[in-house]
Amino acid sequence: MRAEAASAALPWWKGAAIYQIYPRSFQDSNGDGIGDLPGITQRLPHVASLGVDAIWISPFFVSPMKDFGYDVADYCDVDPIFGTLADFDALVARAHELGLKVLIDQVYSHTSDEHPWFAESRSDRTNPKHDWFVWADAKPDGSPPSNWQSVFGGPAWTWDARRGQYYLHNFLSSQPQLNLHNPQAQQAVLDVMRFWLERGVDGFRIDALNFAMHDPELRDNPPAPATDRQRTRPFDFQLKKYNQSHPDIPAFIERIRALTDEFDGVFTVAEVGGDEAEREMKAFTEGDARLNSAYGFNFLYADKLTAGAICAALAQWPDERGTGWPSWAFENHDAPRAVSRWWSAGERDAAARMKALLLASLRGNIILYYGEELGLTQVEIPFEQLHDPEAIANWPLTLSRDGARTPMPWSTSAPNAGFTSGEPWLPVGEENARRAVDGQEDRADSLLNHTRAMLALRNANPALHHGSVARCETLDGIFLIERQAPGQTIRCLFNLGAEGAPIPHDLGQGHVLATVNNATAEILPPYGAMVIEL
């Protein structure tokens, strides 16, 4: 195929489709109601059948699970609820057999307060790890060293009587901030990365990387300007100028890249959120000595999907030497399911089909969240069943992340939709159970098979897979993205609305590669779309 020939000179990850797995919720193999690594291994053929290039597995490391794995107590071992290191090795081997790369999360901005590094650091002010975390004296009146606020609500400082000092935590108080200004702490996390590379992983998604360093002078953050958005946390009232986004982070990133370059084909992608996300994503991926890619929250927290937002996001990443390579996600474990955020119940089936093609049309890597191929919706979780610490702390103003972390439905007839033989840690949700894999597998018109077709379309056409963006605009109600690669130009036409839209004559001419929701060369029905090779 021409796409294969055109892609041969590219690294495997350039233009890749990546499938995110939240391990608690994918497949339970032992009946305890919690998904695990053997369960993932069991279901890898389904993932491979989609046509994706890699899986990204959210944290499965030893953890007290106060933030469900993003509070790591041992970076180099598997939490018993998920299995063992041998189970992980078996997962990697099976994924590689199926042609899937394996990416794992790394959480370097903070640890759990149960991590041995923190236990030693807090023991006194002179131990070998005394400055591996961010410690500071109280102000003369006993108040915290700065006005910094945590993401999950309340001050970002907690008093520790053992040292008679405050420690910093940008998230939960049980997630103390690593001091990555310290070269020894930096080396320790690089050694963690080497451990997993030597175990055969193919890359890393690096969590909250722009929180990795703080202002050593501990200057107060300035207040944020007034906004029409509701502020649900003290964190929202500040510009996060000093507790994150430190200018020394790129130098640490260069140490990461130097390590990954010792291994073949390793892919690194940073999660970057916040007020300075665009600038930081550029800095973290600039040139050939930093990370391969970054993704932000352009679409993850958007309450509607607009042509302007899409074009603005793509314009941030022009096809120019020295500019990094983006990654895009419409859904993940931190955001409500996109179909529930963007469309009413009656629109979702058609809109989800259009959304699958739109994601496949974006320049960059694309990330599918488990169950997105089935059209899973946000499940309403009652307060008494919540696990998400942010939702519990800010109830009812913060929409629970648990509603997007519900179990994957595999069977329309099995108890708990085939996820577990026990009591699932979160409810499956009746609507999502009806969208189970086995109910969609043999239906040619199912969203599952449509998603496979859209990924195959992307993989078969170099302009879609890795080409540049030649046009991105709206004309007479039609949203248009034009992609180019040597020898190929492809035009993608979308109707983002619930009313039919006629196609101007000159836009719809060419060789039709795909249509969505009964689109024709003359009209795009509600949420209709069409791909044309010019």
Side-chain angles (χ1 to χ4, degrees):
M1 293 176 67
R2 60 182 173 178
E4 292 174 351
S7 302
L10 296 173
W12 70 263
W13 50 263
K14 197 150 197 179
I18 300 165
Y19 188 87
Q20 182 192 355
I21 295 173
Y22 194 70
R24 293 182 73 89
S25 299
F26 201 58
Q27 177 66 62
D28 172 23
S29 70
N30 61 6
D32 65 357
I34 297 172
D36 46 44
L37 297 182
I40 294 173
T41 304
Q42 174 190 338
R43 297 298 188 178
L44 284 176
H46 166 78
V47 181
S49 78
L50 299 175
V52 299
D53 301 282
I55 58 172
W56 150 32
I57 310 174
S58 293
F60 51 84
F61 316 108
V62 174
S63 168
M65 299 294 166
K66 293 176 182 174
D67 191 23
F68 294 93
Y70 287 93
D71 49 330
V72 180
D74 186 341
Y75 286 106
C76 296
D77 204 357
V78 175
D79 195 279
I81 67 169
F82 296 127
T84 65
L85 277 172
D87 292 328
F88 179 77
D89 293 341
L91 187 160
V92 172
R94 180 62 174 141
H96 288 169
E97 284 176 6
L98 293 167
L100 294 168
K101 304 290 187 180
V102 178
L103 314 178
I104 63 173
D105 252 310
Q106 295 288 269
V107 188
Y108 294 156
S109 70
H110 53 265
T111 72
S112 164
D113 60 358
E114 296 184 17
H115 197 292
W117 296 348
F118 186 67
E120 182 174 351
S121 186
R122 79 192 312 183
S123 63
D124 58 51
R125 299 193 189 191
T126 60
N127 68 81
K129 294 184 176 61
H130 73 278
D131 60 351
W132 280 36
F133 293 82
V134 182
W135 296 95
D137 292 331
K139 289 181 177 178
D141 63 358
S143 60
S146 73
N147 71 347
W148 301 347
Q149 299 293 313
S150 72
V151 173
F152 291 164
W157 296 97
T158 289
W159 177 256
D160 188 86
R162 275 159 278 203
R163 284 185 52 141
Q165 288 181 304
Y166 283 94
Y167 66 86
L168 177 65
H169 52 88
N170 282 302
F171 297 91
L172 296 174
S173 61
S174 56
Q175 293 171 299
Q177 184 76 18
L178 272 167
N179 178 19
L180 290 182
H181 291 290
N182 182 320
Q184 291 179 311
Q186 278 193 24
Q187 187 58 52
V189 297
L190 291 171
D191 290 345
V192 168
M193 185 170 274
R194 183 181 294 278
F195 172 87
W196 292 107
L197 287 168
E198 291 177 346
R199 260 198 139 76
V201 305
D202 303 290
F204 305 98
R205 179 263 192 188
I206 304 175
D207 183 70
L209 183 56
N210 54 341
F211 282 93
M213 292 183 184
H214 67 293
D215 170 34
E217 296 179 36
L218 307 181
R219 288 171 282 188
D220 282 351
N221 280 331
T227 175
D228 59 358
R229 295 181 69 90
Q230 185 177 25
R231 290 168 167 172
T232 62
R233 308 164 296 177
F235 182 79
D236 300 327
F237 286 82
Q238 295 183 354
L239 294 177
K240 275 65 76 174
K241 187 173 181 180
Y242 295 117
N243 62 318
Q244 64 181 76
S245 311
H246 193 276
D248 287 350
I249 295 175
F252 170 55
I253 287 171
E254 290 175 3
R255 294 193 71 191
I256 291 175
R257 180 61 180 267
L259 170 58
T260 60
D261 280 350
E262 295 179 28
F263 297 79
D264 290 332
V266 174
F267 172 63
T268 50
V269 56
E271 176 204 35
V272 184
D275 304 330
E276 301 290 329
E278 179 186 346
R279 178 185 62 79
E280 291 175 318
M281 286 191 287
K282 293 280 184 62
F284 293 176
T285 59
E286 182 181 24
D288 297 322
R290 296 182 181 174
L291 302 181
N292 302 123
S293 189
Y295 81 92
F297 291 78
N298 303 65
F299 305 114
L300 290 170
Y301 289 163
D303 55 11
K304 59 184 177 180
L305 180 66
T306 67
I310 298 163
C311 291
L314 293 176
Q316 292 172 4
W317 299 91
D319 190 7
E320 297 173 356
R321 183 169 180 79
T323 299
W325 182 255
S327 293
W328 306 108
F330 290 160
E331 302 186 4
N332 80 357
H333 62 288
D334 280 333
R337 292 278 184 181
V339 290
S340 297
R341 270 184 288 132
W342 291 341
W343 299 294
S344 64
E347 299 171 318
R348 287 172 188 163
D349 286 347
R353 299 174 73 83
M354 181 273 294
K355 177 174 74 74
L357 174 58
L358 177 60
L359 185 62
S361 303
L362 299 182
R363 177 182 179 268
N365 297 333
I366 58 173
I367 304 171
L368 286 86
Y369 186 47
Y370 81 96
E372 192 170 355
E373 74 274 24
L374 306 177
L376 296 192
T377 57
Q378 186 80 0
V379 178
E380 291 296 324
I381 308 294
F383 181 80
E384 61 273 13
Q385 290 183 266
L386 284 178
H387 294 264
D388 175 15
E390 182 180 15
I392 292 169
N394 297 295
W395 177 266
L397 294 179
T398 296
L399 189 60
S400 164
R401 296 178 298 175
D402 289 336
R405 299 175 176 183
T406 53
M408 178 77 169
W410 296 101
S411 169
T412 53
S413 58
N416 304 311
F419 165 70
T420 180
S421 59
E423 183 67 25
W425 78 286
L426 283 173
V428 175
E430 290 183 14
E431 182 180 352
N432 285 345
R434 292 194 294 269
R435 298 178 183 273
V437 171
D438 71 348
Q440 298 197 37
E441 188 68 58
D442 297 328
R443 283 183 18 234
D445 64 345
S446 68
L447 180 62
L448 171 58
N449 283 313
H450 174 71
T451 302
R452 288 170 172 148
M454 296 302 96
L455 291 173
L457 177 73
R458 176 182 171 91
N459 291 335
N461 290 279
L464 288 180
H465 182 264
H466 55 265
S468 61
V469 178
R471 294 173 71 184
C472 187
E473 58 185 307
T474 299
L475 296 170
D476 297 328
I478 302 292
F479 175 51
L480 176 153
I481 299 176
E482 216 163 87
R483 303 285 306 280
Q484 289 183 337
Q488 186 179 49
T489 299
I490 285 182
R491 180 178 294 159
C492 305
L493 305 175
F494 301 93
N495 181 357
L496 301 182
E499 302 292 332
I503 300 176
H505 177 72
D506 60 330
L507 284 187
Q509 302 306 302
H511 175 57
V512 176
L513 298 179
T515 61
V516 176
N517 293 329
N518 301 311
T520 70
E522 290 74 39
I523 188 168
L524 293 184
Y527 306 109
M530 177 178 290
V531 181
I532 302 167
E533 185 171 25
L534 303 183

